[in-house]
Amino acid sequence: MPIIETAKGLAAVSDIAGCGSRFRRLSFGAVDFAKDLNMRLSLDEWELTPARAAIALASRVAGLDAVSYAHLTLPTSLCWVRLLPSLFPL
């Protein structure tokens, strides 16, 4: 399954979605994408909405299943927030 993880991948998402029949959906690597763009994510990840929408649209146009991605939302007390300081403002 192709994973969109960078700005370059998002820029080519329509080509990627339409390039073959060996996969049924795209996936979104939100953490890698945010890191590639030096983004600081809020807990509700609204900053990723345009990228998710672009991937969903490209998937639909190419006849692929719904986009597969995981939400990053974690309680601030978890150690993950300490491990990803460049992504989560404290």
Side-chain angles (χ1 to χ4, degrees):
M1 168 182 355
I3 304 172
I4 307 303
E5 300 178 305
T6 63
K8 188 174 181 179
L10 186 62
V13 71
S14 293
D15 293 334
I16 294 167
C19 76
S21 60
R22 295 185 65 191
F23 55 90
R24 295 187 352 206
R25 70 181 50 87
L26 299 176
S27 185
F28 180 45
V31 172
D32 292 325
F33 182 82
K35 186 165 178 61
D36 183 57
L37 273 72
N38 295 317
M39 296 174 80
R40 293 180 62 97
L41 298 177
S42 59
L43 290 179
D44 63 1
E45 304 170 13
W46 67 265
E47 302 87 354
L48 298 174
T49 301
R52 287 186 170 129
I55 295 167
L57 179 62
S59 295
R60 178 67 175 136
V61 169
L64 301 177
D65 292 342
V67 178
S68 173
Y69 63 85
H71 282 278
L72 301 176
T73 305
L74 300 169
T76 56
S77 62
L78 292 179
C79 65
W80 279 101
V81 175
R82 290 189 208 109
L83 295 174
L84 303 172
S86 64
L87 298 177
F88 293 96
L90 297 177

